[in-house]
Structures are given as C-alpha cells and as structure tokens.
Amino acid sequence: MTTSHNTTDGYRSGATDEAVRAELSRLRDSIDNIDAAVVHMLAERFKCTQQVGHLKANHQLPPADPAREARQIERLRELAENAKLDPAFAEKLLNFIIAEVIRHHETIAKSS
C-alpha cells in the first residue's frame, strides 16, 4: 500500500503544512511568554522567601516550618485540582521549591 503525499483533501499539501507551522509557532510563542512569566514569578517568590529567611535567622527561628509546608502543599494540591492540573505534579513542584527555600534559609542562618 502506498501513501500519496498530495491527497485531494489537502492534508499533506504545502498550505496545510504552512498552517500547522503557523499554529505551532503561535502556540510556542505563548509557551515562551508563559515560561517567562513563571521565571519572573519564581524570582519574586524567592525575593520574599529570602526576606523570610533573614527574619527567621534574626529571631533564631528554624529554617523549615513543616506545619506551614504541609498546609501549603494541601492548598496547592487543591488549587491544582481546581485548575485541572495534576495535583501530584503540583506537589512535586512545590516540594522542589520548598527544598530550595529551606536551603537558602539554612545558608542565611549560617551567615548570621
């Protein structure tokens, strides 16, 4: 069985390929914008958590707050479910961020 590259419905035509490329480009531009926003939001988040780290260090509070972290994870899982995002993925992402924040807080505490 052979497959034609020029079908009568235009599926493999240059016009369709061009339309697909244009749609891919449009979607990828949106993805790039979202990625930029995510990076900027994370930067803002880490600016705040750095301030928290200094506050904790100045008042001899521990770098980690397991009760708050558990509440945040539960909150984020609920937000993820409402946004139709896999809650397990959201939890993994937040756990990664929390680990980085704690590492920063430990570094700040050692330098104080």
Side-chain angles (χ1 to χ4, degrees):
M1 180 174 174
T2 61
T3 304
S4 171
H5 291 289
N6 292 316
T7 61
T8 55
D9 65 3
Y11 177 73
R12 301 285 278 166
S13 73
T16 299
D17 289 346
E18 186 176 318
V20 169
R21 283 193 298 275
E23 181 68 359
L24 278 172
S25 179
R26 184 189 68 76
L27 291 167
R28 287 175 175 162
D29 286 347
S30 291
I31 290 167
D32 292 349
N33 289 338
I34 294 165
D35 287 347
V38 167
V39 167
H40 287 282
M41 293 300 294
L42 283 172
E44 284 300 310
R45 189 186 196 288
F46 277 101
K47 285 178 189 174
C48 291
T49 60
Q50 289 287 350
Q51 293 174 24
V52 168
H54 286 287
L55 189 61
K56 285 181 171 184
N58 291 339
H59 296 278
Q60 292 78 46
L61 296 170
D65 184 345
R68 165 139 171 96
E69 293 155 18
R71 287 190 308 272
Q72 285 297 94
I73 289 168
E74 187 58 37
R75 180 178 160 271
L76 194 72
R77 286 184 67 89
E78 185 177 327
L79 287 170
E81 286 177 18
N82 291 338
K84 307 295 187 238
L85 178 68
D86 179 5
F89 169 77
E91 183 174 346
K92 287 177 193 174
L93 177 61
L94 187 60
N95 279 327
F96 178 78
I97 292 169
I98 289 170
E100 187 67 8
V101 167
I102 292 170
R103 189 181 68 76
H104 290 176
H105 289 184
E106 289 169 345
T107 300
I108 291 167
K110 287 177 187 172
S111 67
S112 294

